[in-house]
Amino acid sequence: EIPGDDQYEARGPTLLALVSILVGLQVEWGCRTGELLAVGLPDWRADALAEAVDSVVRRTSPDLVDHVRRALHDLVEGLPQRLASLEECGIPDSLVHGDFAPGNARGDGKSLVLLDWGDCGVGHPLLDRAAFMDRIPHELMSQVRRHWDILWRQAVPGSDPGRAAEILAPVAAARQAVIYRAFLDQIEPSEHAYHRSDPALWLTRAADLAGSASGGGAASSATHPTGRPL
């Protein structure tokens, strides 16, 4: 048993420490992705991720409203170019936690441990950023974002983590839909009622982020999957 409390209510210093732990692990494993894939971690790199997002959009399409479907069609069509542009940001693929959030860490005031690695894989490390930012207080977002960027600029001089996170934001949300779709495929039908809407909610979030980045605001009236208004 890992001592301490789950960090759902974590604030400034603890949030920064969590990001530091994650980035430190990702820097360490960035040159060892072959080992991670060899032991069976899912492949979330560009080609595999684009295929998974395309599949979940197709499967979830009946549950989406028209303007979200159109926005997602554009997102999927542009994925090869979007993901290729990540190379210009200079941050290599590495370990992805997959569900990085304050509540998936435990601490006792002396140490912090990241938990719940069940959705981890190999892909762009900033895939972990969007979901984490959506689970922290709004007033702390700028501080955490700056800290995250500084860590990557120090680890990879000349890199542009801010631009990488912007490019990946809708993709990271769509990846959450992939995770929930796979979860639904594995659980008993009697349990579907509790999670049936999750893929559509995350894809709506992806459409909104893609629209915001392009100035279109495709799903501006959407609600975030955690219940927070966008």
Side-chain angles (χ1 to χ4, degrees):
E1 181 70 18
I2 298 172
D5 300 312
D6 294 341
Q7 299 296 300
Y8 289 102
E9 304 301 323
R11 291 299 182 263
T14 301
L15 295 175
L16 300 185
L18 290 174
V19 172
S20 295
I21 292 170
L22 177 70
V23 173
L25 288 169
Q26 291 173 327
V27 170
E28 179 181 352
W29 283 96
C31 60
R32 302 171 63 186
T33 54
E35 296 176 46
L36 297 174
L37 293 167
V39 297
L41 266 65
D43 188 351
W44 295 111
R45 294 174 298 177
D47 291 345
L49 184 57
E51 182 177 345
V53 170
D54 183 28
S55 176
V56 77
V57 168
R58 291 177 185 274
R59 292 186 63 184
T60 313
S61 181
D63 300 327
L64 302 170
V65 296
D66 287 344
H67 68 280
V68 171
R69 277 198 294 268
R70 290 193 296 270
L72 291 171
H73 175 270
D74 292 343
L75 175 63
V76 169
E77 287 293 306
L79 274 179
Q81 181 178 356
R82 178 183 289 267
L83 294 174
S85 68
L86 282 176
E87 295 184 13
E88 301 173 6
C89 298
I91 297 175
D93 291 330
S94 185
L95 175 66
V96 176
H97 181 282
D99 194 14
F100 182 53
N104 284 333
R106 187 169 296 169
D108 60 2
K110 298 178 181 179
S111 63
L112 281 170
V113 178
L114 298 185
L115 308 174
D116 196 3
W117 289 85
D119 292 325
C120 68
V122 174
H124 198 285
L126 284 165
L127 282 170
D128 278 324
R129 179 150 145 173
F132 188 85
M133 298 301 293
D134 278 325
R135 292 180 171 94
I136 67 175
H138 185 271
E139 65 271 17
L140 297 176
M141 288 182 178
S142 294
Q143 181 186 15
V144 171
R145 192 179 294 113
R146 285 195 301 270
H147 180 67
W148 216 314
D149 289 353
I150 288 170
L151 291 174
W152 275 112
R153 290 193 186 105
Q154 290 175 341
V156 186
S159 64
D160 190 348
R163 175 60 178 155
E166 179 183 347
I167 292 169
L168 279 170
V171 183
R175 179 192 170 279
Q176 291 296 114
V178 173
I179 294 297
Y180 277 103
R181 183 68 262 173
F183 176 69
L184 284 167
D185 289 343
Q186 295 169 6
I187 63 176
E188 295 293 329
S190 60
E191 299 293 319
H192 281 200
Y194 302 106
H195 298 282
R196 183 180 293 117
S197 64
D198 289 342
L201 287 171
W202 277 107
L203 287 176
T204 299
R205 174 62 166 161
D208 180 83
L209 288 166
S212 297
S214 65
S220 58
S221 62
T223 299
H224 182 265
T226 61
R228 291 168 53 177
L230 298 172

